[in-house]
Amino acid sequence: MWLFWGSPQGTAGELLLQALEDLSKLDFRKFQDALAHGDLHGQELIPWGRLEEASWMDTKNLMVDFYGGEAALDVAIASFERIQLRNAAAMLPERREKALNARYSKLVIVTSPVREEQRSTRSLATGRRHAEIMKEQASSSIAVGDLFKPGSDGWIPKVVVLLGAAGVGKTMTARKILLDWASDKVFAEFDYVFYIHCREGNLLTSQASMADLITQCYPGSSPPLAEMLGQTERLLFVIDGFDELRFSFDRPQSELCSQPGSRGRLEITLSSPLPQDLLPDSSLLVTTRPAPPCGSWGKCWSAERYAEILGFSEVEREEYFHRFFQNPEQAAAAFQFVRGNETLFTMCLVPIVCWIVCTVMKQQLGRTGGLTHSPKTTTGIYILYLSALLRSLSGRLKRGMPGVLRRLCCLAADGVWRQKVLFEEKEVQEYALDQQEALPLLLNEHLFQKDISCVSTYSFIHLSFLEFFAALFYLLEDDGEARDPHAGPTRDVKALLESYSNSRNYFMLTVRFLFGLLNEERRRELEEEMGCKISPRITQELLTWLQNSQNTSLAFLMQETAAICELEVCHCLYELQDSGFVATALDPFTGVYLRGLNLNRFDQTVLSFSVKNFPKLESLDLGHCVFLRDDPKDGAGLQPAKQTYREKQQKEGKQSPIHLLCQALEKSGCKLKSLRFDQCQLTGTCCGALASVLSVNPTLTELAGNEDLRDGGVKLLCEGLRRGGCQLQSLRLGCCNLTAAGCRDLAAVLGTLPSLEQLDLSDNPVEDGGVRELCGALVGPSCSVQKLWLWRCRLTKASCGVLAATLPLSPNLTELHLGDNELGDGGVRRLSEGLRDAACRLQMLRLWRCRLTEKSCGVLAAALPLSPNLTELHLGDNELGDGGVRRLSEGLRDAACRLQTLSLWKCRLTGACCGDLRTVLSTSRSLEHLDLSENDLGDGGVRLLCEALGHPACFLQRLWLKKSGLNEETVQKLAALKAVKPNLNIGYI
């Protein structure tokens, strides 16, 4: 997709003026006459009194003010056709399309299933998924012309929701869709496309039917309604900015419209399910923020496809700079500067921010010193942009701006609270905002047809500026001006923060700006430019709010410790850029728990800033997060011919996507105990950075990371483990693509790391060779490993022989996980030799899904009485059958058996085995947990178990069963056991 980067009205005005200047004086007079007296397809006519003395420039300005930029071009084309200027009528659309395409930069759209638990954490200002995910998830990208094409299952969606953060280009994408459709480039399957802008819809007060909306959207005066309604499959409705509607959509079905001609208030008409009832088979494209703040589109329509605008990729960002500056040298200088500033460059992923950054860069290029100073935060960029606007004012206007800005901030705060972005003229006048020469710098003016008259409406140049000025409202000191107490919102920031905690999506950027405006340096700059006093009086209130955020969804209490669970907390703290404030704000917390996020480089910078100033940090859990980054440009420079291993390692560490975070951990001085990166798609380059963390954090006891570290990454990690001071107790490297070579490096470390108690190498192709490497170290006198997890490691019975020899020689090893390996009965036979040894201290053995049969049960039954330390045995998902249970019960009944937990889920058991189990339950004095789920025991078999469960000699505390297949009487018998055995808990799967 593409995004228009310039001012739409400015571009339309230039095209219109060029077209008018091409006219002769006579044709120009005819054109003016058509504007005043002609049939303009339902458009309002401009009074002749205003046109009679108007020049080409005056006429252009009148048309743009009266109709709006794009609509003025449509009126011009219609007027040219009316006065028979066919060449002019044909040339203007060509110029229009050429100008628009020349000013568009490419955006990437991907199909994206909505996950509500992640949507609330996504940023409105910078988005949450940016350039790197465009590369990594290229398979999910979609062209705008394919939004209504069949999916992989052949299903053609009728309702498509196009998501995007504030400023990412939703509205301009929707408008470009209309342009491309009109040019026969996309959506040939639709004969009519209707555009409904929800921001303007908020101003409609009269009742309207769906047919009325179609008529208003139709460029002519007489739409063929009968034809349209007869072929609704050829209709597409584009509803732009659905999140900006202030209506309530929680309405009973009886209030909704059921016929296209049924009139109702706009909110009722739009609440009615368009494709399903009003216009069967029509299609719908909705643009909205990820989580609408004032009602859910889900209450109105069931979306069949979600797509998301991600922002600019690296290539498109550079292209955008060249389009903006047009001067190649300036564009290259500005882009090179921004590219070297990681924060700025990442912020430019969002088109509106990119435009602001370019505007600021252009201003700075024209000043002494050039690009020597750059802001680090979003707030800093906006302050520089506002300062540039204010500096452009004349002395007379600038003297009056403090009052204008105060009232503008009141208007913005009122808009945030009322969830309103478009203001009528009377609302602007209520705040005495009447400086017509200065106001256009800060507000856009629109002419909007309301009922039978035209009214002026105003909006901030972008929604994010409304939120910026709303935040400024809470910091401006009162100038003593008399003000109607009902003219604006209260300055009680506590109310804002409370509302933010309950509905963060709408207030998120406002609160973020609140923190940014408290930065002393930025506050001083703004005071100088605005001439207003900005007070830091709310600093303590923000601090108290953050410290008590465990009472909100921003943080939570876990085992009497508080942890941050929203990245937005870090974004707010980053905007302030005050290390002391950050440390104080985070003092009540000991952990950060962020799961399932796509962290772009700006997010990583923000998170690292908080981590670096988090002295009490003990736990950092980033499981299932994806660390995104820009790939370095090819050919950036020649590499040194030779590098020492250390130099190479340092370079690889800096290229790691977690380099910033690890660097922050090294500098924080925190007493980190747990660091988790499980399912984070990390590669071996990350291990150099992790190794450095291990060497400087002697308190770190748990490290979890996986995905694609491979043997090379583990080799780097082992260097950190060898360094003095490392006290790691738990190392989890599941699913890292490790082989026997990686196990060899780990084995070399085990003897030098006596603190390590848990080693998880599950889901790695280590094979039998890897086990041999590990076992050689496990028997060493300095090895303290107690838990060894090797499930799904492509092991065979050969590994069992090596492990059997290790068990008696490794007194610390108490837990062995070998599930999902093809060990077979032969493997268990070999393993049992070690189990029977008196020196074996194994307490837990997991052998689920190991291709075992009844034969293995006989071998294990013989080993149980000789293994008094073994208390847990997991044999689930093996074809043991009733015969296997019969043989296993022989060992379970032996008084020397100390087994407490037995898992037999999905073992092909029937009611025939319940007699043997009844005997075991009645005689075993150790068995406390029994899992028989996913087995069809039947009512008869379960009733046999009930007899034993009620026996006084039965000590079972937990029983798992398969509920399906049991009748109500059997279930009631099980429930009745609670009366005689209150400690018995029965669960069903």
Side-chain angles (χ1 to χ4, degrees):
M1 195 48 227
W2 305 83
L3 176 84
F4 179 71
W5 65 258
S7 168
Q9 290 194 7
T11 304
E14 293 170 6
L15 292 170
L16 183 57
L17 181 60
Q18 183 181 3
L20 295 182
E21 289 177 338
D22 288 342
L23 301 178
S24 66
K25 289 185 178 180
L26 178 61
D27 287 339
F28 177 62
R29 207 62 178 165
K30 291 180 180 179
F31 178 83
Q32 289 180 309
D33 183 72
L35 292 178
H37 306 107
D39 179 9
L40 300 179
H41 302 303
Q43 292 282 3
E44 293 291 317
L45 300 177
I46 300 177
W48 176 251
R50 301 184 66 179
L51 288 167
E52 189 173 10
E53 301 297 329
S55 65
W56 284 279
M57 179 66 74
D58 295 336
T59 302
K60 182 268 292 184
N61 290 337
L62 276 173
M63 293 180 67
V64 171
D65 289 342
F66 205 81
Y67 301 116
E70 293 301 316
L73 293 177
D74 294 330
V75 170
I77 294 170
S79 299
F80 287 149
E81 291 174 344
R82 177 175 175 80
I83 61 177
Q84 304 298 312
L85 295 179
R86 294 185 176 86
N87 288 338
M91 189 176 299
L92 186 53
E94 293 177 3
R95 289 176 174 176
R96 182 188 204 177
E97 182 176 354
K98 183 178 180 181
L100 287 172
N101 287 331
R103 286 173 172 259
Y104 276 75
S105 291
K106 189 176 181 180
L107 289 172
V108 175
I109 301 177
V110 299
T111 53
S112 171
V114 175
R115 292 180 59 186
E116 292 297 335
E117 68 273 14
Q118 293 183 357
R119 291 294 182 203
S120 62
T121 66
R122 291 188 176 183
S123 156
L124 295 182
T126 62
R128 185 63 64 203
R129 304 166 66 206
H130 293 303
E132 301 82 354
I133 200 170
M134 299 174 197
K135 299 174 183 177
E136 296 186 9
Q137 296 188 355
S139 59
S140 66
S141 64
I142 185 171
V144 67
D146 295 333
L147 288 174
F148 289 94
K149 291 291 179 62
S152 57
D153 57 357
W155 178 262
I156 300 176
K158 289 292 185 180
V159 180
V160 175
V161 174
L162 186 59
L163 303 165
V168 82
K170 298 184 295 296
T171 293
M172 295 313 300
T173 296
R175 291 177 179 175
K176 186 60 165 60
I177 286 174
L178 295 180
L179 175 65
D180 286 348
W181 170 78
S183 303
D184 297 325
K185 294 179 180 178
V186 297
F187 300 155
E189 63 267 35
F190 300 117
D191 291 338
Y192 301 95
V193 177
F194 301 98
Y195 177 80
I196 300 173
H197 199 311
C198 296
R199 181 179 300 178
E200 296 177 351
N202 286 323
L203 296 175
L204 294 177
T205 56
S206 60
Q207 293 191 338
S209 66
M210 183 53 60
D212 293 333
L213 290 178
I214 290 175
T215 301
Q216 290 182 22
C217 294
Y218 189 73
S221 57
S222 302
L225 281 175
E227 176 186 335
M228 294 177 180
L229 298 180
Q231 293 183 309
T232 55
E233 73 277 3
R234 307 291 293 178
L235 306 182
L236 170 64
F237 291 86
V238 179
I239 298 185
D240 184 28
F242 189 81
D243 53 291
E244 296 179 22
L245 287 176
R246 305 193 313 275
F247 309 143
S248 171
F249 295 92
D250 192 13
R251 299 180 181 276
Q253 187 70 26
S254 59
E255 291 187 13
L256 301 181
C257 300
S258 58
Q259 297 296 326
S262 301
R263 289 177 174 266
R265 295 192 304 276
L266 181 68
E267 61 264 36
I268 294 178
T269 302
L270 288 180
S271 298
S272 304
L274 292 174
Q276 288 82 359
D277 295 336
L278 282 183
L279 300 173
D281 299 323
S282 65
S283 297
L284 183 67
L285 175 64
V286 181
T287 75
T288 180
R289 285 186 179 186
C294 52
S296 172
W297 35 261
K299 296 179 181 178
C300 302
W301 311 292
S302 177
E304 297 165 347
R305 173 172 288 163
Y306 300 100
E308 183 174 6
I309 303 176
L310 301 178
F312 289 140
S313 69
E314 179 176 348
V315 173
E316 277 77 48
R317 272 172 278 176
E318 184 172 7
E319 178 186 339
Y320 184 97
F321 270 71
H322 283 276
R323 289 176 182 271
F324 183 93
F325 285 94
Q326 296 184 339
N327 181 316
E329 292 182 359
Q330 285 189 338
F335 182 77
Q336 184 177 6
F337 177 82
V338 174
R339 183 66 182 86
N341 185 314
E342 196 167 78
T343 301
L344 273 182
F345 188 64
T346 306
M347 288 165 62
C348 286
L349 289 161
V350 179
I352 183 63
V353 179
C354 194
W355 172 66
I356 293 171
V357 168
C358 285
T359 302
V360 171
M361 293 296 104
K362 194 168 187 177
Q363 290 280 345
Q364 290 187 323
L365 279 170
R367 299 174 63 184
T368 303
L371 303 175
T372 55
H373 301 287
S374 64
K376 294 182 178 180
T377 64
T378 307
T379 309
I381 286 287
Y382 278 60
I383 288 175
L384 281 181
Y385 178 74
L386 178 60
S387 298
L389 288 181
L390 296 178
R391 282 195 297 270
S392 69
L393 297 176
S394 65
R396 178 181 61 82
L397 290 175
K398 196 167 185 178
R399 284 192 295 274
M401 281 309 290
V404 172
L405 290 171
R406 289 178 189 280
R407 295 189 290 276
L408 194 70
C409 291
C410 290
L411 179 69
D414 188 40
V416 165
W417 276 106
R418 293 197 290 149
Q419 299 178 358
K420 186 171 187 175
V421 295
L422 202 62
F423 303 92
E424 294 188 49
E425 189 171 20
K426 63 180 181 180
E427 294 176 292
V428 175
Q429 291 174 349
E430 285 176 1
Y431 287 97
L433 291 167
D434 53 3
Q435 291 205 17
Q436 295 302 315
E437 292 170 290
L439 206 58
L441 293 175
L442 303 169
L443 293 179
N444 287 331
E445 183 179 4
H446 316 273
L447 284 176
F448 177 71
Q449 186 172 348
K450 181 180 181 182
D451 301 330
I452 60 173
S453 61
C454 285
V455 297
S456 291
T457 60
Y458 296 86
S459 67
F460 286 81
I461 57 177
H462 187 262
L463 177 58
S464 57
F465 276 92
L466 178 144
E467 294 164 303
F468 174 83
F469 283 110
L472 188 57
F473 167 79
Y474 291 94
L475 281 84
L476 287 178
E477 286 193 351
D478 194 349
D479 61 352
E481 290 183 359
R483 183 165 65 93
D484 181 352
H486 301 292
T490 175
R491 280 206 169 119
D492 182 9
V493 74
K494 292 181 180 178
L496 174 70
L497 296 174
E498 181 179 351
S499 298
Y500 168 79
S501 298
N502 297 329
S503 180
R504 290 193 310 284
N505 281 290
Y506 200 78
F507 295 98
M508 180 183 291
L509 207 52
T510 303
V511 172
R512 194 183 292 185
F513 281 133
L514 270 181
F515 281 85
L517 288 168
L518 285 175
N519 177 272
E520 184 177 353
E521 181 181 353
R522 296 302 176 199
R523 193 170 69 244
R524 187 169 58 251
E525 290 177 3
L526 200 54
E527 284 179 340
E528 293 175 358
E529 295 294 342
M530 290 179 58
C532 301
K533 183 66 175 176
I534 301 175
S535 171
R537 65 182 181 276
I538 67 170
T539 302
Q540 185 58 45
E541 291 176 273
L542 292 180
L543 181 62
T544 302
W545 173 68
L546 275 179
Q547 290 181 329
N548 294 328
S549 60
Q550 61 263 34
N551 299 322
T552 72
S553 58
L554 294 172
F556 65 92
L557 288 171
M558 181 174 61
Q559 296 178 351
E560 300 183 356
T561 62
I564 300 295
C565 64
E566 285 284 358
L567 184 62
E568 186 57 29
V569 172
C570 301
H571 271 285
C572 290
L573 294 174
Y574 182 79
E575 288 295 315
L576 184 54
Q577 288 291 299
D578 186 333
S579 300
F581 183 96
V582 175
T584 304
L586 297 177
D587 186 70
F589 304 96
T590 59
V592 174
Y593 183 86
L594 303 174
R595 307 279 291 186
L597 301 180
N598 291 302
L599 302 173
N600 61 44
R601 290 293 275 183
F602 188 42
D603 295 328
Q604 295 166 37
T605 300
V606 165
L607 176 60
S608 300
F609 180 76
S610 288
V611 167
K612 186 170 64 176
N613 298 286
F614 200 161
K616 289 191 174 182
L617 182 64
E618 296 181 357
S619 174
L620 180 57
D621 189 339
L622 301 174
H624 296 264
C625 289
V626 178
F627 290 80
L628 308 171
R629 61 166 299 165
D630 287 311
D631 295 329
K633 280 185 171 292
D634 293 333
L638 295 176
Q639 303 300 318
K642 294 183 179 180
Q643 288 180 309
T644 66
Y645 181 81
R646 181 61 178 168
E647 288 173 338
K648 183 179 179 182
Q649 180 179 336
Q650 289 176 341
K651 180 185 175 184
E652 289 177 346
K654 290 181 179 180
Q655 291 178 355
S656 160
I658 60 172
H659 167 66
L660 288 175
L661 187 59
C662 290
Q663 196 174 52
L665 286 170
E666 291 180 49
K667 296 179 179 179
S668 68
C670 66
K671 307 297 183 184
L672 193 67
K673 295 180 180 179
S674 176
L675 180 59
R676 299 184 63 88
F677 289 107
D678 49 300
Q679 299 295 322
C680 285
Q681 302 180 20
L682 303 182
T683 63
T685 58
C686 302
C687 292
L690 288 173
S692 298
V693 173
L694 288 171
S695 63
V696 298
N697 282 272
T699 57
L700 187 63
T701 59
E702 180 183 5
L703 176 62
N706 52 23
E707 292 303 327
D708 204 17
L709 301 185
R710 298 184 180 271
D711 298 329
V714 171
K715 185 180 185 67
L716 291 174
L717 192 62
C718 288
E719 288 201 358
L721 294 172
R722 287 194 193 95
R723 294 172 192 169
C726 181
Q727 298 297 316
L728 201 66
Q729 296 177 11
S730 175
L731 179 59
R732 303 175 68 91
L733 297 174
C735 193
C736 290
N737 272 315
L738 301 186
T739 68
C743 291
R744 185 180 305 114
D745 289 312
L746 285 169
V749 171
L750 293 182
T752 62
L753 193 61
S755 61
L756 191 64
E757 298 176 349
Q758 180 175 353
L759 179 60
D760 181 2
L761 301 179
S762 301
D763 205 6
N764 284 297
V766 301
E767 301 182 337
D768 298 327
V771 171
R772 279 193 295 270
E773 297 287 353
L774 292 172
C775 286
L778 290 172
V779 299
S782 300
C783 181
S784 303
V785 173
Q786 299 175 10
K787 300 178 180 180
L788 179 61
W789 286 26
L790 296 170
W791 58 266
R792 197 179 299 149
C793 283
R794 302 185 188 177
L795 309 184
T796 69
K797 62 181 180 181
S799 291
C800 293
V802 178
L803 287 167
T806 302
L807 290 176
L809 302 176
S810 183
N812 295 310
L813 191 61
T814 58
E815 182 175 328
L816 182 59
H817 195 335
L818 300 176
D820 205 5
N821 287 295
E822 296 192 13
L823 308 182
D825 297 328
V828 171
R829 186 181 305 107
R830 294 187 181 187
L831 193 63
S832 64
E833 296 175 6
L835 293 174
R836 291 197 298 267
D837 193 298
C840 177
R841 296 292 182 266
L842 203 65
Q843 298 175 10
M844 179 189 295
L845 178 60
R846 297 178 181 269
L847 296 172
W848 51 267
R849 200 178 299 144
C850 285
R851 299 289 184 94
L852 310 185
T853 69
E854 177 181 340
K855 294 179 180 179
S856 292
C857 293
V859 174
L860 290 170
L864 288 176
L866 302 175
S867 303
N869 296 303
L870 191 63
T871 57
E872 285 193 41
L873 180 59
H874 298 262
L875 300 174
D877 203 6
N878 285 295
E879 297 188 11
L880 307 184
D882 299 327
V885 171
R886 183 179 307 111
R887 302 182 68 172
L888 192 62
S889 63
E890 296 174 6
L892 294 171
R893 292 196 300 267
D894 194 297
C897 177
R898 295 291 183 267
L899 206 64
Q900 299 176 7
T901 298
L902 177 61
S903 177
L904 297 172
W905 59 273
K906 199 177 181 181
C907 284
R908 302 279 184 96
L909 308 184
T910 69
C913 72
C914 291
D916 294 304
L917 289 173
R918 176 182 60 178
T919 304
V920 171
L921 292 175
S922 303
T923 57
S924 174
R925 303 184 64 82
S926 62
L927 195 60
E928 298 177 351
H929 300 267
L930 179 60
D931 186 353
L932 299 175
S933 59
E934 298 189 58
N935 289 293
D936 294 315
L937 303 181
D939 294 310
V942 173
R943 289 176 187 176
L944 285 176
L945 294 179
C946 287
E947 295 177 10
L949 292 172
H951 196 279
C954 180
F955 294 94
L956 202 69
Q957 298 178 13
R958 187 70 173 171
L959 175 65
W960 289 95
L961 294 170
K962 181 179 178 181
K963 191 171 186 178
S964 62
L966 302 180
N967 60 34
E968 188 62 29
E969 182 181 355
T970 303
V971 174
Q972 289 179 358
K973 280 183 174 291
L974 289 167
L977 290 171
K978 196 70 176 177
V980 295
K981 288 294 185 69
N983 293 327
L984 177 62
N985 294 297
I986 300 177
Y988 299 97
I989 296 178

